[in-house]
Amino acid sequence: MTLTVLMNAGPWLSVPPPGYGGIENVIATLVPELRRLGVRVVLASVESSTLPVDERIAVFPDGQFAALQRPYNQVCGVSQAHLAGVVRALHARDDVDLVHDHVEAVGLATLAAMGPDAPPVLHTLHWDLAKHPELYGNLDGGDRVRVNGVSASQLARAPRALREHSVGHVHLSTPLAVDADRRPAVAKGEHAVILGRINPGKGQDLGARLAHRVGFPLVLAGPVGPYHRPEDLAAAGDEARQNPDVRFFHEQVAPYVDGDLVRWVGTVAGQERDDLVASARVSLFPLRWEEPGGTAVVESLSLGTPVVATARGCLPELIEHGRTGLLTTDEEELGELVLAGGLLEAGECRREAAERFTPARMAERYVELYDRVRRGAARPLQLA
């Protein structure tokens, strides 16, 4: 029997996204492999999504990411409108065997509230689980709604009620990991790179300060709020500072961005991103939060670039200290480790990626979880 999964990507970005888009990139990586395994996929996203699937559901014509960090009372209906469209579709059809949901908080709450009127649900947790204590601390999905994490460390910090609904974790993957061990070596430059959305948790301000103190070139690659290019942010004017990430950039990061030792290049994607990371001395992750999944980490390994990072969240699960990267609990030590990390073997990074982080491995794991959820055989993690 063919398994039909409604993949709920949400209303924020198209799938695949135009550059940055962590969750949407995960879905764009997962779906082709699921379909290769014979899973029929109905994608609930926005109309501009181009990912090949079997069917589509959309409420919005394009992604609503630009609204994401506006005041709550201006945007609180966006996710709800999208979920209402999903619920209508589920009520109108009887061929969906499972909903794989990726929409933060609202997806889980709405689908759990449907009770027996909805198919079994697997809700993937892509974010910091301390964010919604009232929801996660009181979750009751019965035997129909289950969750999974994207790392063991993420679930270990989850409230008890959430862990009791968990079927385990699935590490993130990247297409770059396929045959990464056969990829030819790339000439390395002197620069380090921080890849990701610029915000306090990612620590770009710390990385930029250390670059000046230690003296290594640093490239910051990622959006600032909804602005993907430096010229877009410059044209936005002072009103853009209502966005907290924009304020953080102007106040904490921009003083170190001199266009020489530290550069902000905006969002990079495709071959431009791959070339930037593959030629870097290291990828730097000066984290100030418990990173749940680490897509950019597995991308870096796949491209043969060691990782230097604060040992927080999932990083100790993904990186073998001294072989594929260097980890520390001392923020100030990161600068010196950037220099030392350039001596690690690029081939070891690529071999690790090819073994652990391919899309096929992620998809096979999810099919196992789909079966567990559908059979009602999910068991909670052992609680401490």
Side-chain angles (χ1 to χ4, degrees):
M1 182 180 69
T2 300
L3 180 69
T4 297
V5 171
L6 190 151
M7 189 72 60
N8 187 22
W12 302 114
L13 290 167
S14 59
V15 182
Y20 176 81
I23 293 172
E24 292 79 10
N25 275 318
V26 171
I27 294 169
T29 299
L30 173 62
V31 165
E33 290 298 319
L34 290 176
R35 298 181 78 211
R36 184 183 62 82
L37 294 173
V39 177
R40 188 169 178 274
V41 176
V42 179
L43 178 66
S45 179
V46 293
E47 290 179 8
S48 57
S49 290
T50 59
L51 183 72
V53 291
D54 297 282
E55 288 187 61
R56 301 175 187 277
I57 297 169
V59 172
F60 295 95
D62 205 351
Q64 303 298 298
F65 184 78
L68 190 57
Q69 291 184 317
R70 289 185 359 220
Y72 175 78
N73 63 353
Q74 296 179 20
V75 300
C76 62
V78 174
S79 285
Q80 286 85 344
H82 174 84
L83 261 296
V86 170
V87 170
R88 285 194 297 271
L90 292 174
H91 280 313
R93 57 195 302 165
D94 60 3
D95 63 331
V96 174
D97 299 301
L98 179 136
V99 177
H100 189 173
D101 181 63
H102 301 265
V103 178
E104 183 174 356
V106 178
L108 178 62
T110 301
L111 294 165
M114 287 186 71
D117 291 337
V121 174
L122 177 64
H123 174 81
T124 296
L125 301 155
H126 292 274
W127 36 80
D128 179 1
L129 302 185
K131 290 172 68 175
H132 309 294
E134 293 80 13
L135 173 63
Y136 293 154
N138 297 284
L139 178 64
D140 183 5
D143 60 359
R144 190 183 54 83
V145 177
R146 297 294 178 185
V147 304
N148 76 275
V150 290
S151 66
S153 64
Q154 178 199 34
L155 288 176
R157 295 186 299 276
R160 175 180 290 265
L162 199 61
R163 281 183 286 159
E164 289 175 347
H165 286 77
S166 170
V167 289
H169 70 277
V170 182
H171 284 140
L172 301 176
S173 73
T174 172
L176 294 169
V178 177
D179 294 330
D181 52 338
R182 301 180 184 180
R183 185 172 291 123
V186 172
K188 292 290 186 179
E190 294 299 314
H191 69 280
V193 60
I194 301 179
L195 191 69
R197 183 164 63 92
I198 295 178
N199 67 21
K202 301 290 187 180
Q204 285 91 348
D205 59 321
L206 172 60
R209 178 171 63 78
L210 292 175
H212 280 278
R213 179 170 70 78
V214 177
F216 59 85
L218 176 65
V219 179
L220 308 177
V224 175
Y227 305 103
H228 290 274
R229 299 179 301 173
E231 54 266 34
D232 295 337
L233 179 59
D238 289 341
E239 65 182 40
R241 291 180 184 245
Q242 296 179 23
N243 183 294
D245 287 352
V246 173
R247 285 199 304 274
F248 167 72
F249 176 78
H250 280 299
E251 295 172 5
Q252 304 296 327
V253 181
Y256 298 103
V257 178
D258 59 2
D260 181 20
L261 198 62
V262 178
R263 296 185 295 130
W264 174 49
V265 297
T267 298
V268 293
Q271 193 61 49
E272 182 184 9
R273 176 204 61 187
D274 296 352
D275 291 344
L276 175 66
V277 175
S279 63
R281 177 204 303 260
V282 300
S283 287
L284 177 60
F285 295 86
L287 301 174
R288 289 204 178 99
W289 76 314
E290 305 302 331
E291 178 71 49
T295 300
V297 175
V298 300
E299 290 174 343
S300 181
L301 296 181
S302 301
L303 292 165
T305 298
V307 167
V308 169
T310 315
R312 300 188 67 165
C314 67
L315 269 295
E317 293 176 49
L318 305 181
I319 299 301
E320 183 179 337
H321 180 76
R323 185 171 79 90
T324 59
L326 297 172
L327 303 175
T328 182
T329 57
D330 182 353
E331 288 188 349
E332 295 303 316
E333 187 184 14
L334 283 171
E336 284 70 29
L337 293 185
V338 166
L339 303 182
L343 302 176
L344 297 179
E345 174 57 47
E348 288 296 300
C349 299
R350 293 195 300 270
R351 282 188 284 274
E352 183 80 350
E355 180 179 339
R356 296 180 60 195
F357 302 123
T358 63
R361 183 159 182 169
M362 180 171 68
E364 288 163 3
R365 175 66 172 145
Y366 270 117
V367 169
E368 293 174 3
L369 297 192
Y370 294 165
D371 185 61
R372 289 186 64 188
V373 174
R374 292 181 65 220
R375 292 175 182 272
R379 291 174 294 179
L381 298 178
Q382 294 296 316
L383 303 181

